[in-house]
Amino acid sequence: AKDAPGRAAGLKDKALGAVESLVQNFKPVNQIHQHVCGYHGYAHDMTRQVRSEHYCSHVNPEVRQCVIYDTPEKNARLIGIEYIISRRLFEGLPEEEKCMWHSHGHEVMGGSLVAPELPEVAERAEMESLVDTYGKTWHTWQFDRGDTLPLGPPQLMMSFTKDGQLDPKLIEARDKEWGIDTEARKEARRKNIKPPEKVAEGCDMWERGKAMQATLQEMLVKLPKT
């Protein structure tokens, strides 16, 4: 990852990596076949906003699991994970669990969630499948505050739910980088994608002025028998 401390890879490191890539089993990561780019905010501080490149595999049509990087480049930092589930599965969660999940409706309809490089028809189909899903996201590397390594406990992240919440400079930078027009996509989706009539109850806790967040707690250890 860029900016991470540590020595440069030597010949031995590169040779070992080449051998491992040829002979070892990478079945779990080889199931990744979807890339979507969006933005997350820290659940307790939605002014801290970060671009999040999701690379996802589908456990089944109602469950996706994604690894998240800060950029789509080969030197990207692995900054977190997200689990994405259908509305049906979300509504079956315990009430105390739902507060850790966020909705995707506005991300889709507002244009901030995109599937880079997909043809328009394929991207529209992908967005239709995501518009009424719910995500649980943890970021492990707070690079936005300058951390050069993943420090501290994982942080619960949330999505944006209304126009005007996300810093427009983040969208402008991505539009320029990829040559896309987020406003045009937003208008096209409003014409072609039907959003849920109502967001499922219990998610997006931050909108209610409070949020859950992870902290460390010292605990007594239950030791194994020896």
Side-chain angles (χ1 to χ4, degrees), residues 25-121:
N25 175 355
F26 296 96
K27 289 181 180 178
V29 293
N30 287 341
Q31 302 310 302
I32 293 174
H33 66 274
Q34 177 190 39
H35 174 204
V36 293
C37 175
Y39 299 88
H40 292 147
Y42 289 79
H44 66 291
D45 184 357
M46 293 294 285
T47 67
R48 289 179 62 190
Q49 305 175 358
V50 294
R51 178 169 157 178
S52 301
E53 305 286 347
H54 304 61
Y55 293 85
C56 308
S57 60
H58 294 201
V59 177
N60 60 52
E62 292 190 84
V63 180
R64 308 179 192 203
Q65 51 190 16
C66 310
V67 289
I68 302 174
Y69 293 86
D70 64 329
T71 77
E73 304 303 324
K74 66 179 183 180
N75 64 346
R77 304 175 184 90
L78 174 61
I79 62 171
I81 57 171
E82 178 165 358
Y83 301 100
I84 299 174
I85 62 177
S86 67
R87 183 188 189 103
R88 184 182 73 87
L89 294 180
F90 174 78
E91 290 181 333
L93 295 176
E95 290 304 314
E96 63 272 18
E97 170 70 21
K98 291 179 180 179
C99 63
M100 291 185 281
W101 294 72
H102 61 265
S103 62
H104 291 136
H106 180 73
E107 287 189 276
V108 170
M109 301 309 295
S112 64
L113 191 67
V114 299
E117 300 169 336
L118 274 186
E120 183 179 348
V121 173

Side-chain angles (χ1 to χ4, degrees), residues 189-203:
R189 290 176 187 179
R190 288 183 173 177
K191 293 177 182 178
N192 297 297
I193 298 177
K194 182 180 180 180
E197 293 183 5
K198 184 180 179 182
V199 173
E201 294 183 3
C203 64

Side-chain angles (χ1 to χ4, degrees), residues 97-203:
E97 170 70 21
K98 291 179 180 179
C99 63
M100 291 185 281
W101 294 72
H102 61 265
S103 62
H104 291 136
H106 180 73
E107 287 189 276
V108 170
M109 301 309 295
S112 64
L113 191 67
V114 299
E117 300 169 336
L118 274 186
E120 183 179 348
V121 173
E123 192 207 42
R124 184 183 304 157
E126 195 59 73
M127 293 300 124
E128 287 175 344
S129 73
L130 284 166
V131 72
D132 199 17
T133 60
Y134 297 80
K136 183 179 185 180
T137 303
W138 295 98
H139 280 201
T140 54
W141 194 331
Q142 299 184 61
F143 68 95
D144 62 301
R145 67 179 186 184
D147 292 1
T148 57
L149 288 171
L151 305 178
Q155 296 292 287
L156 184 66
M157 309 298 283
M158 290 283 149
S159 64
F160 300 97
T161 57
K162 293 182 177 66
D163 287 346
Q165 294 172 344
L166 179 61
D167 184 349
K169 292 181 181 178
L170 294 174
I171 294 289
E172 291 168 8
R174 187 183 66 184
D175 282 3
K176 183 177 180 181
E177 178 183 339
W178 285 341
I180 63 177
D181 186 338
T182 294
E183 282 300 315
R185 292 190 182 208
K186 177 179 176 179
E187 290 305 314
R189 290 176 187 179
R190 288 183 173 177
K191 293 177 182 178
N192 297 297
I193 298 177
K194 182 180 180 180
E197 293 183 5
K198 184 180 179 182
V199 173
E201 294 183 3
C203 64

